[in-house]
Amino acid sequence: MLFRAIAFGSVVSASLLGGTAVWWKASGPAGSIADGGAAIAHGVSQPRDPVVVPSPIIQRPTPKPAPVIPALPLRRLAAMPDLENLGIDDRLFGKSGDRRSLVSALNQSLRYIQSPQAQKQYRNYAVPGFTRRRVERSLRRFRQLVLRARSAAQLRASVQQEFQFYESVGKDGQGLVGFTGYYVPVQRASRRKTAKYRYPLYKLPRGFAQWKTPHPSRLQLEGKDGLQGVRSQLKGRELVYLADRLQAFLIHVQGSSRLQLTDGTTMSVGFAGATKHPYASIGKELIKDGKFTLDELTLPKVLDYFEQRPQDLDIYLPRNKRFVFFRNTKGSPPLGSLGYPVTGDRSIATDKSKLPPGALALIHTQLPNRQLEPTPISRFVLDQDTGSAIKGAGRVDVFLGTGDVAGKRAGLVNAPGKLYYLLLKQ
């Protein structure tokens, strides 16, 4: 998996906020108590009638019923939904259009869909109509339409005419989906440990497949301060060293990084394996401890919090017991969970136990532009990745690319929206 903005709520990112984002807001009315009072008589010689003191009345809120989530993650729609600008993908056209990027992402999905892996994954896919062959035909036809279209409106009209829409049931059974963002960071690192570069990324330990469960926790592997790997099974498996402990941790959340090394060379690292512990969101932990409210939480604020209180890293980082191992990917582009490259703004990560791998999708939500301004978007994407914090039909992590700008954008993604999958009509 790639760099998830620390999953807020579920990733941001990540999906600290990553990788899995708390985009929704729980609410519930507080109970109220009506207190009765007793009168006190002073200076009265004759006894008075007894004062009846009413018992306190406790008004308890009626619990809201849990949302009914359909058994299947997708529902077939009779027609294209009537939402403003749905399917108008303005990013594709104009001087700064990314039509080539979308075609490249389509080609990666076509590579995957023809693989033995795809044959196996689609053999028992639960949603009627989603066969590997139909997904492949849909990808090929959509690629033709993208290459021929002269405008976003023309492409939309063709899609509306030729494709069947399937809506994700979302988190609430009504189609509400939470969106977060992730990216590949670029960090400074050293091949050797120095006084400045002290925090390692580790290769997969020898014999890892034979480790007994439960696996050691993050605290047991690297210690409270992140420097005790030499005392555990991590000894001798150091790949590179970073100067900043939080940045090293964030690479664990995102799953990959591009490194500028002190010797003048570069290295790309990617996911090699992880211990069998669930991902725990640092953003959630900060909210739980009252450091932030849900509305306040953003990745820049989390980074600033730990910069001002570095001692708190010893408290919060070990709460994510999951530990990730890395390999030198020798400059290869970032890969999604399907084993093929992902494309900035055109690849998404979802729960592959629920949603169709490699398939064509349309997202309707809000993303920051390159000036970091929140912008409503309707965008065609390919479902090519997953993440430990991305669970259920109501979560989507959007891959936003590599580097600082992508990271700033990813840290700001925390929005509701809609998710649709597209198949050629039968």
Side-chain angles (χ1 to χ4, degrees), residues 199-205 208 211 215-223 226-229 232-235 237-238 245 248-249 251-253 271-280 317-326 388:
Y199 298 102
L201 299 179
Y202 293 93
K203 296 178 286 186
L204 197 68
F208 178 70
W211 279 21
H215 284 173
S217 66
R218 176 179 298 275
L219 180 63
Q220 292 169 323
L221 286 172
E222 68 174 11
L227 296 172
Q228 306 306 312
S232 73
Q233 298 96 315
L234 302 180
K235 183 178 181 179
R237 304 304 292 168
E238 295 85 357
R245 183 184 178 189
F249 176 83
I251 296 175
H252 280 237
V253 177
F271 180 87
T275 55
K276 293 181 179 179
H277 288 288
Y279 170 80
L317 299 197
R319 293 188 187 181
N320 179 23
K321 296 181 180 181
R322 189 170 188 262
F323 199 91
V324 177
F325 304 103
F326 298 89
S388 59

Side-chain angles (χ1 to χ4, degrees), residues 282-316:
I282 301 304
K284 270 188 171 181
E285 294 298 314
L286 290 167
I287 291 173
K288 184 175 72 174
D289 288 354
K291 307 298 184 182
F292 294 96
T293 66
L294 179 59
D295 291 337
E296 293 171 339
L297 193 64
T298 64
L299 181 57
K301 288 185 178 180
V302 171
L303 297 177
D304 182 66
Y305 174 87
F306 285 116
E307 183 177 352
Q308 300 299 322
R309 304 167 185 81
Q311 69 279 3
D312 281 8
L313 292 171
D314 294 354
I315 299 172
Y316 287 99

Side-chain angles (χ1 to χ4, degrees), residues 91 100 128 147 179 219 247 254 261-262 271 280 342 367 402:
R91 187 180 177 88
R100 288 185 179 180
L147 291 172
F179 286 83
L219 180 63
Q247 293 302 328
Q254 302 293 350
L261 301 177
T262 55
F271 180 87
V342 288
L367 295 178
T402 300

